Amino acid sequence: MIEAAFMTIPLATAFLTGGADLEAFGLSALITLAAGLSATFLVRPSRTDMAKREGFLLTSLVWVVFSFFGMLPFVWSDVEPLDVTDAFFEAMSGFTTTGATVMTSVSATSAAATMWRCLMQWLGGMGIILFTLAVLPMLNSSGGMQMFNAEVTGITHDKIRPRISQTAMRLWGIYVILSVILFFLLMLGPMTPFEAICHTFTSISTGGYSTADASIGYWDNYYTDIVLTVFMFLGGVNFSLIYKAALGQPGALWRNDVLRAYIYIILGAYVMFVIAIVALGHYNGIASVTIDPIFQIVSTITSTGYTARNFEAWGPFVLALTFILMFFGGCAGSTSGGAKIDRMLFLLKNTRNEVYKTLHPNDVTTVRVNGRIVPAHIVAKVIAFLCLFVIVITIGGIVLTACGLPLVDAFFSSFSCLSNIGLGAGFTGYGGGYDLVPDLGKWVLSFLMLVGRLELFTVLILFSPGFWRK
């Protein structure tokens, strides 16, 4: 029913812009609403408490079900209809804020479909479950914490308020305020109100869908690039830190080891990008070594996936750096994808300890982050996560090669979708698209998007036989 309510926004857009896809969204909203009402009033559960397993199962299924109903307008579109495979891929890419698209021409779609694509990313950025917890406080006492932990990115999850519904409301409040500010700032540039609100939805959520085929490069406006860079950067910051700063605790930002690492990585990548751009003779004015590389770096590390320039032309060294930025992504508790910088810090500090212990095996070493000792079981979980992250990328890449994709393109696409960034390279890169991927490959990539958005364990645990045993 919540999804049906949000479908009224593109429905109103269709009504105000000439009626294109009005019937598609009207029918989709009615079917989605009917399904919600049926589940509410025709089902009488024998129990209402929610244990850990129910929390994992519900969280995973909510994203699948939202994508299933979210794809219906694309299937029934009278402007650019998609088949079921392409429509589900587009919806899953939207809700998981991956940003990969099968649409050959975004500008040729209806305004309603464009609005829905962007709105899906805004909803998925902060989280569908998190929104539900904010508007349905009754879940506070029936497994809400289990769903919160299963959906919110990161290693540990700090509650900023005593009740989980209050935490969800505060986080969504910050999200909405930043969205409103960004909308008005974009309106000061060359974007129309429609373009501004669509890019507000997809940049603060670090999703990356655009209203133009050339992405942000369509406007070729450095004011717009700078504004989007700032808000993509904020989208990659832990929203709990932004909340504390808004309450008058700005010192909490710089005292955070992860945020400092996030800034240092961006600055380090910027220096290397500039060296590569100048060395390959792509210097074309001061903006080509200032705004252009910073924009692409922030877009990549936050998993947004916007492109203002053809960054592949900057050479293989830049592409390799892009790969590294994609791997770790932004901070835990943000809207960005990737394995998260928090885990990178844990890994580096634990590796340093292990190297030290080869010379001093009897010494006791600890991993400290933000001035606190990290328990050994948390460090072990981080290492397991990173190993599993690489394994899933590898398996996805192998399956995609079996589907007919070239080797490098298959592994890059697998990596891009698991990291929820959506960038393509070669086969699916600049000038290409995910519409070229065979149908089986699209289902594989859709699964990888879901696994990446819910950070592996929430989805993969469902395939464990022990999960289904009492």
Side-chain angles (χ1 to χ4, degrees), residues 8 21 25 37 58 61 68 95 101 122 168 194 242 244 251 272 293 302 309 319 334 388 399-401 427 436 461:
T8 61
D21 282 345
F25 279 97
L37 290 171
L58 179 59
L61 287 179
F68 173 78
F95 282 120
T101 183
W122 189 73
F194 176 77
I242 298 177
K244 291 178 182 177
M272 289 185 280
T302 59
R309 307 291 180 270
L319 194 60
S334 68
L388 188 58
V399 174
L400 289 174
T401 57
F427 188 74
L436 302 176
I461 191 65

Side-chain angles (χ1 to χ4, degrees), residues 163-317:
R163 296 174 66 83
I164 196 64
S165 59
Q166 293 174 334
T167 296
M169 289 176 65
R170 297 304 189 280
L171 292 176
W172 263 93
I174 292 292
Y175 193 56
V176 170
I177 290 170
L178 289 175
S179 299
V180 172
I181 295 171
L182 175 56
F183 170 72
F184 284 109
L185 288 175
L186 289 176
M187 284 282 291
L188 297 177
M191 289 186 177
T192 65
F194 176 77
E195 293 167 343
I197 195 168
C198 286
H199 286 90
T200 293
F201 287 154
T202 60
S203 55
I204 196 64
S205 66
T206 64
Y209 276 156
S210 180
T211 59
D213 295 329
S215 190
I216 304 303
Y218 170 81
W219 288 271
D220 194 22
N221 180 268
Y222 287 120
Y223 167 80
T224 301
D225 293 349
I226 292 170
V227 170
L228 289 176
T229 299
V230 171
F231 281 84
M232 286 190 294
F233 173 85
L234 292 175
V237 176
N238 189 324
F239 272 74
S240 296
L241 289 178
I242 298 177
Y243 177 77
K244 291 178 182 177
L247 291 181
Q249 305 174 38
L253 295 175
W254 191 246
R255 288 195 301 269
N256 188 272
D257 293 343
V258 179
L259 181 60
R260 290 204 307 273
Y262 178 49
I263 295 171
Y264 292 152
I265 290 170
I266 291 174
L267 293 177
Y270 167 71
V271 172
M272 289 185 280
F273 266 55
V274 169
I275 292 173
I277 291 170
V278 174
L280 291 175
H282 290 292
Y283 176 80
N284 187 26
I286 191 67
S288 66
V289 290
T290 52
I291 299 174
D292 289 350
I294 281 288
F295 178 91
Q296 197 59 54
I297 289 166
V298 174
S299 175
T300 302
I301 196 171
T302 59
S303 78
T304 308
Y306 282 149
T307 52
R309 307 291 180 270
N310 182 9
F311 72 95
E312 288 187 52
W314 294 344
F317 178 65

